[in-house]
Amino acid sequence: MKQLALAAAAVIVLAVISLFIGVSDVTPQSLLSPSPDDRAVQVLLISRIPRTLALVISGSAMAVTGMIMQILARNRFVEPSTAGTVEAASMGILVVTVLAPGASVFGKMLVASAFALAGTALFLRILQQIPLRSVLVVPLVGLMLGGVINAITTFFAYRLDLLQSLNAWMTGNFSGILRGRYELLWISFALMVVAYIAADRFTVAGMGQDFTTNLGMNYRRVMTLGLIIVSMVTAVVVVTVGMIPFLGLVVPNLVRLIFGDNLRRTVPWIALSGAGFVLACDIIGRVVRYPYEIPIGVVVGVIGSALFLYLLLRRNAYVA
Amino acid sequence: MIDVKGVTKAYDQKIVVNNVCLQLPVGGVTSIIGPNGAGKSTLLSMISRLLPMDAGTVTVDGLDVTKTPSDVLARRLSILRQDNHLGSRLTVRDLVTFGRYPYSKGRPTAEDMEHVRKALDYLNLEDLADRFLDELSGGQRQRAFVAMVLCQDTDYVLLDEPLNNLDLKHAVAMMKLLRRTADQLGKTVVLVLHDINFASCYSDYIVAMKHGQVAYQGTPEEIMRPEIMRHLYEVDVTVQNVNGQHIALYYA
């Protein structure tokens, strides 16, 4: 509990740092000094606070989603971006953009969720069909499925001259976040709360169908709830900020090494670590080439893939 | 009483369990034996509603296992499968606490925690309680799983090959423990066993299966006969009385 409070404090410190980074002059002094147009306050309210909130919510939600995805697939090395979920969601966005260009962001999100749900369900379906020889087959299958879906999406995007927009959706980027353009993320925050309430169910489901049935729970129902959470959170995050790769893979696995798999205990840790990780990566991306920005997807990709490699190489040490 | 009526299961035309009728008595230890592919585990899975059956009914104290709500059944009957190859990294205490889930629904009361304490104590797991399962030896892990099903505190405890992966010492300890569970806690223990001599020494009742059907059933004395063993396993078996126990010899 004390450690958790410390971790929360660390995330708050990162969030405060994140608020004061940027080209515009926003510092504690400029906020307090009276100026005629209150420019600093305006920037803070319209750009900085929404951006930091978006980072915290999407980071924690994607990390928790990664954990649930790993339970659904019963494999440690999957997350929405290695299971076809993200690709399916972006296909959904393309479909809405083409067929109903005037759709609201919420409408886009719903269609993207439906596609993400279908893509993830297809992935789980394929997993049931193939005999699994090694734990690494599962993420490979997911990557291939994602590749196939992405190829279809890219083809139509190319034909319809939407490649650039597609690329923009697929690369996580928080620089466009402004007040009025991130609020959808609160849906994923709500879903994270749902995941925490159902934490025991997910922990039991992680032990397999027979265990779950023995304890009197409906395995399918838990799986369906997980599927809905994964798809909706992914869709919301892809629609608002784009894809953040590796996050859902690295964070839950690192937390698991230390605290294990009792989700009642680990979900707060996964959420805080996810938020902290994304905040830190975003700060790096904004500072490295100051005053320019590197998209967060790139920073997370670089750091995350290094951590992922580390986890893969030491996997034999803890995979039972 | 567990009442099995006309239970059948087939995979792609191949009948694995064929029209089995069986009544398992209340109390004591009942072992299900038989050669590989006789349908023992499949039958146990159907009795414990882990596997749907193609035909027939199973009732546990009058409750039809396919129709009774799963959480009601989870307070009557617990099942431990053989391949407890968990991907989950849980501590022993967390695992055993989940045995109370049918009662606590995730919010264990003081009474639930008392059950957990007793189960850990019963299986000598206090020292390991806060270790992760993936850091334990096979025997310790098996004990943790048994502690979980005991913590579930059901009248019927079903175990599929609980001696798998256990060495001699741990196998004997496990059988003694299951015997004690039946004698002291008054539970009905049903086991699938490969080792016929363990079945002979520790069971009150033996059910022998072959080709998806119940071939024989009775007390160890009635079942541990050379001609029955030969018919079941298709090898020459002699049965000797060693210190009042019927021991099958089939090594040479």
Side-chain angles (χ1 to χ4, degrees):
Chain A
M1 225 39 223
K2 203 175 154 196
Q3 290 167 311
L4 204 60
L6 279 176
V11 169
I12 290 170
V13 169
L14 280 172
V16 171
I17 294 173
S18 154
L19 284 179
F20 292 108
I21 292 178
V23 178
S24 243
D25 176 46
V26 180
T27 58
Q29 290 93 325
S30 69
L31 286 175
L32 292 174
S33 69
S35 68
D37 54 354
D38 272 343
R39 197 180 138 74
V41 177
Q42 290 296 322
V43 170
L44 187 74
L45 289 180
I46 294 174
S47 164
R48 298 289 171 79
I49 288 179
R51 178 174 187 156
T52 301
L53 276 177
L55 285 163
V56 169
I57 299 173
S58 54
S60 48
M62 281 311 276
V64 172
T65 305
M67 179 75 231
I68 295 174
M69 190 73 225
Q70 286 153 24
I71 287 173
L72 292 177
R74 297 213 69 198
N75 184 290
R76 290 285 141 205
F77 297 110
V78 293
E79 63 133 17
S81 68
T82 65
T85 313
V86 169
E87 288 79 4
S90 61
M91 181 190 255
I93 303 177
L94 181 76
V95 169
V96 187
T97 311
V98 173
L99 298 183
S104 63
V105 186
F106 188 74
K108 272 188 183 173
M109 188 278 288
L110 283 183
V111 175
S113 299
F115 271 75
L117 195 79
T120 316
L122 179 65
F123 170 64
L124 295 175
R125 199 63 199 257
I126 294 172
L127 285 191
Q128 285 176 353
Q129 302 298 322
I130 49 169
L132 300 170
R133 299 270 174 255
S134 119
V135 284
L136 295 182
V137 169
V138 176
L140 285 177
V141 168
L143 286 169
M144 282 191 281
L145 176 67
V148 171
I149 296 174
N150 202 21
I152 298 171
T153 313
T154 308
F155 173 78
F156 285 105
Y158 174 73
R159 280 304 184 86
L160 301 164
D161 219 7
L162 285 167
L163 265 185
Q164 278 208 324
S165 323
L166 180 69
N167 201 26
W169 304 323
M170 294 294 275
T171 312
N173 192 352
F174 287 85
S175 58
I177 293 287
L178 293 171
R179 190 165 68 192
R181 288 174 63 180
Y182 80 102
E183 284 78 1
L184 213 54
L185 282 172
W186 287 109
I187 294 176
S188 54
F189 180 80
L191 290 167
M192 207 162 43
V193 174
V194 172
Y196 181 69
I197 293 168
D200 288 313
R201 287 157 196 274
F202 285 121
T203 308
V204 172
M207 292 193 275
Q209 180 157 15
D210 290 346
F211 258 87
T212 313
T213 310
N214 171 48
L215 292 178
M217 246 179 270
N218 187 325
Y219 185 71
R220 284 202 98 85
R221 213 173 286 162
V222 182
M223 290 286 112
T224 307
L225 177 65
L227 199 60
I228 291 170
I229 293 177
V230 166
S231 309
M232 288 195 72
V233 170
T234 306
V236 166
V237 172
V238 170
V239 166
T240 46
V241 300
M243 182 177 95
I244 313 170
F246 290 110
L247 178 68
L249 199 64
V250 173
V251 171
N253 273 297
L254 289 176
V255 170
R256 166 172 200 258
L257 277 181
I258 306 168
F259 299 103
D261 273 331
N262 190 344
L263 262 61
R264 180 66 65 208
R265 201 170 304 143
T266 59
V267 163
W269 278 104
I270 294 171
L272 281 175
S273 314
F277 184 65
V278 170
L279 279 169
C281 287
D282 185 65
I283 291 170
I284 293 171
R286 288 152 88 181
V287 169
V288 165
R289 280 179 69 215
Y290 188 85
Y292 304 103
E293 271 194 38
I294 301 173
I296 190 171
V298 176
V299 182
V300 176
V302 169
I303 300 176
S305 53
L307 284 168
F308 181 46
L309 273 178
Y310 165 76
L311 285 170
L312 276 184
L313 293 173
R314 77 174 302 289
R315 134 184 97 89
N316 291 333
Y318 72 96
V319 168
Chain B
M1 190 178 68
I2 296 177
D3 194 359
V4 179
K5 278 200 193 109
V7 165
T8 299
K9 180 82 190 172
Y11 293 108
D12 297 331
Q13 317 293 326
K14 192 188 179 319
I15 294 177
V16 186
V17 172
N18 189 1
N19 196 20
V20 166
C21 294
L22 187 64
Q23 296 191 330
L24 295 175
V26 171
V29 176
T30 301
S31 296
I32 304 175
I33 62 166
N36 291 336
K40 311 178 292 285
S41 295
T42 308
L43 180 65
L44 203 72
S45 293
M46 286 191 287
I47 291 175
S48 53
R49 51 104 168 71
L50 297 184
L51 199 64
M53 51 197 105
D54 295 337
T57 55
V58 173
T59 57
V60 175
D61 289 341
L63 299 172
D64 186 327
V65 296
T66 56
K67 299 201 177 88
T68 308
S70 196
D71 56 332
V72 173
L73 216 53
R75 281 172 251 160
R76 293 288 181 103
L77 172 146
S78 53
I79 165 83
L80 185 63
R81 293 288 307 271
Q82 53 182 330
D83 44 351
N84 299 305
H85 177 80
L86 276 196
S88 293
R89 214 169 121 82
L90 291 178
T91 63
V92 173
R93 191 188 305 281
D94 284 347
L95 178 78
V96 176
T97 308
F98 275 116
R100 296 306 295 171
Y101 193 90
Y103 307 89
S104 70
K105 304 290 180 203
R107 314 218 171 280
T109 61
E111 190 200 334
D112 290 319
M113 291 323 284
E114 181 61 17
H115 276 279
V116 172
R117 199 195 55 75
K118 274 189 199 151
L120 288 171
D121 179 57
Y122 206 69
L123 280 125
N124 279 320
L125 284 166
E126 290 110 327
D127 294 342
L128 300 174
D130 294 312
R131 293 266 294 277
F132 283 116
L133 289 170
D134 54 0
E135 295 166 355
L136 303 183
S137 71
Q140 291 168 333
R141 207 174 309 152
Q142 184 74 338
R143 258 157 58 206
F145 287 121
V146 173
M148 187 195 98
V149 293
L150 287 188
C151 201
Q152 209 174 325
D153 195 24
T154 53
D155 294 339
Y156 298 89
V157 180
L158 277 49
L159 302 125
D160 192 351
E161 297 194 28
L163 305 185
N164 242 9
N165 300 323
L166 296 188
D167 61 21
L168 218 50
K169 174 186 161 190
H170 290 102
V172 171
M174 181 60 69
M175 288 310 292
K176 285 197 165 136
L177 173 94
L178 295 174
R179 188 69 251 176
R180 247 189 10 220
T181 307
D183 294 341
Q184 295 175 358
L185 306 181
K187 302 201 178 295
T188 305
V189 179
V190 181
L191 311 168
V192 167
L193 281 184
H194 256 300
D195 189 320
I196 48 177
N197 289 329
F198 268 126
S200 168
C201 295
Y202 287 93
S203 319
D204 302 298
Y205 200 72
I206 294 179
V207 174
M209 290 185 71
K210 189 172 184 182
H211 298 321
Q213 290 180 310
V214 174
Y216 306 92
Q217 49 182 316
T219 61
E221 195 181 355
E222 288 161 359
I223 299 298
M224 296 300 285
R225 293 172 185 277
E227 63 278 13
I228 290 180
M229 291 296 129
R230 199 175 302 130
H231 175 229
L232 277 178
Y233 294 99
E234 291 162 12
V235 289
D236 277 329
V237 178
T238 57
V239 176
Q240 299 207 337
N241 194 321
V242 179
N243 298 332
Q245 304 284 8
H246 303 273
I247 304 295
L249 297 173
Y250 45 82
Y251 301 100

